[in-house]
Amino acid sequence: MGELVVDKHVKYILSVEKRKDSFESVVLEHLRMNGAYWGLATLDLLGKLDALDSNEVIEWIMKCQHESGGFAGNIGHDPHMLYTLSAVQVLALFDKLNVLDADKVANYISGLQNEDGSFSGDEWGEVDSRFSYLAICCLSILHRLDKINVEKAVNYIASCKNVDGGFGCTPGGESHAGQIFCCVGALAITGSLHHVDKDLLGWWLCERQVKSGGLNGRPEKLPDVCYSWWVLSSLIMIDRVHWINKDKLVKFILNCQDTENGGISDRPDDAVDVYHTYFGVAGLSLLEYPGLKAIDPAHALPVDVVNRIFFQK
């Protein structure tokens, strides 16, 4: 199984940032903001955030902000709730939320809430329970939850709950671990976890563990390192994480490492990428792997960053 090759992962993340003309960089150009969050959050969990020039990153982030207040995935692209949360999370990592006009960002987000309490991801109107999480998490970090109708937002999320205890993207949508994280995370942040049937959902989530120790996102699917985050964080928020075999999951994640060049893949021996590297390290953090900073399961930020946001005077 081996150990977490921290230095190799740091080197890999820094190399991805520098290779702007690589295939990976080109195909991810439109969501570079997410890539920045995945990479920088990984570095912070590994205790290596100072390996990058924060001023350069912050300057680039602010160039991605639109007049509407929302952020795009890269300079010259359209704003979306997804990139807006990633931008805010990265600024939080660097303790630079003060460079933001918080009300301007909050007004962009609140303007995307619909009459039924749901949220659209951007001006084009797609509705998804993921966007409810993005809105609530972002506004929570900015101390601006009062800008939206929280009661309606919570009721909409509750309407996405299924008979198996899980949650879908819209009312009646299939239960999926990614959507469950978003719904449970939003309910946790708003103090509304009473809407969750914890035993029923806990059972559905713990059944995502397969023989290899990895977790999948839906029944009959292959395991994937990213669900080490989506499933595990949800189980922690509903206090049912003891229902899975943690040691087998740690072994699965470590087996997905490229021990020579760094990075983590979705499954053993597949190609690595920044997305799976982050969620692998984040999963290990939730599993209390030695040497990693603790991560908050609801806000998807290191606990010390969350404490700084909510408890620093």
Side-chain angles (χ1 to χ4, degrees):
M1 175 172 73
E3 297 180 348
L4 188 68
V5 289
V6 172
D7 291 339
K8 296 281 178 69
H9 295 321
V10 172
K11 192 175 176 183
Y12 165 70
I13 289 166
L14 294 177
S15 73
V16 170
E17 172 59 26
K18 292 186 179 91
R19 291 196 318 264
K20 301 249 184 347
D21 57 349
S22 69
F23 174 75
E24 189 173 13
S25 291
V26 171
V27 297
L28 294 177
E29 188 211 347
H30 65 292
L31 46 80
R32 191 163 171 240
M33 189 68 75
N34 297 148
Y37 160 66
W38 299 326
L40 294 167
T42 305
L43 289 178
D44 201 8
L45 292 173
L46 296 172
K48 306 286 186 180
L49 188 60
D50 56 1
L52 268 179
D53 179 356
S54 63
N55 291 327
E56 194 179 309
V57 177
I58 293 162
E59 188 181 332
W60 168 75
I61 286 175
M62 296 312 292
K63 285 179 181 174
C64 294
Q65 189 173 27
H66 280 242
E67 195 52 46
S68 63
F71 285 81
N74 209 335
I75 298 168
H77 289 256
D78 292 339
H80 192 284
M81 188 102 72
L82 179 59
Y83 311 126
T84 302
L85 174 60
S86 287
V88 169
Q89 285 171 317
V90 172
L91 291 172
L93 289 173
F94 287 122
D95 196 14
K96 291 291 185 182
L97 287 171
N98 60 316
V99 304
L100 282 177
D101 179 339
D103 286 321
K104 187 176 183 180
V105 178
N107 288 338
Y108 169 74
I109 292 170
S110 63
L112 292 170
Q113 187 171 29
N114 301 306
E115 187 57 37
D116 63 356
S118 66
F119 284 85
S120 300
D122 59 14
E123 63 178 314
W124 306 111
E126 181 190 5
V127 171
D128 191 305
S129 56
R130 289 175 299 173
F131 306 151
S132 298
Y133 167 76
L134 298 173
I136 287 168
C137 184
C138 195
L139 292 175
S140 170
I141 292 169
L142 296 173
H143 302 283
R144 295 293 189 281
L145 272 173
D146 59 341
K147 291 274 189 179
I148 60 167
N149 187 321
V150 174
E151 185 181 355
K152 275 190 171 184
V154 166
N155 288 338
Y156 178 78
I157 292 167
S159 75
C160 296
K161 185 167 70 172
N162 291 320
V163 292
D164 57 13
F167 292 82
C169 57
T170 51
E174 180 187 8
S175 294
H176 182 281
Q179 304 289 158
I180 288 168
F181 161 77
C182 290
C183 292
V184 172
L187 293 174
I189 291 169
T190 55
S192 308
L193 283 174
H194 57 276
H195 286 288
V196 179
D197 184 330
K198 295 177 182 178
D199 283 341
L200 187 60
L201 178 58
W203 180 249
W204 190 95
L205 288 168
C206 77
E207 283 199 318
R208 305 281 60 78
Q209 190 163 36
V210 300
K211 286 181 180 177
S212 66
L215 300 162
N216 61 24
R218 287 178 291 167
E220 304 301 322
K221 295 291 184 179
L222 292 172
D224 187 315
V225 156
C226 70
Y227 293 112
S228 307
W229 170 261
W230 308 117
V231 172
L232 208 55
S233 55
S234 301
L235 282 168
I236 288 172
M237 287 187 279
I238 63 171
D239 196 26
R240 298 295 184 275
V241 73
H242 53 288
W243 286 7
I244 64 158
N245 187 318
K246 295 183 184 180
D247 292 337
K248 285 183 75 173
L249 180 55
V250 169
K251 185 177 179 182
F252 175 79
I253 296 170
L254 293 177
N255 283 340
C256 292
Q257 296 181 106
D258 181 336
T259 53
E260 290 183 20
N261 302 306
I264 298 175
S265 57
D266 57 349
R267 286 178 278 281
D269 302 320
D270 282 356
V272 303
D273 58 63
V274 179
Y275 173 84
H276 288 95
T277 301
Y278 168 57
F279 287 113
V281 171
L284 289 172
S285 171
L286 290 174
L287 291 161
E288 300 176 33
Y289 188 86
L292 295 179
K293 288 172 69 170
I295 190 167
D296 181 88
H299 291 91
L301 286 168
V303 168
D304 65 330
V305 174
V306 173
N307 287 343
R308 190 167 66 210
I309 292 166
F310 295 110
F311 303 119
Q312 184 173 291
K313 291 182 180 177

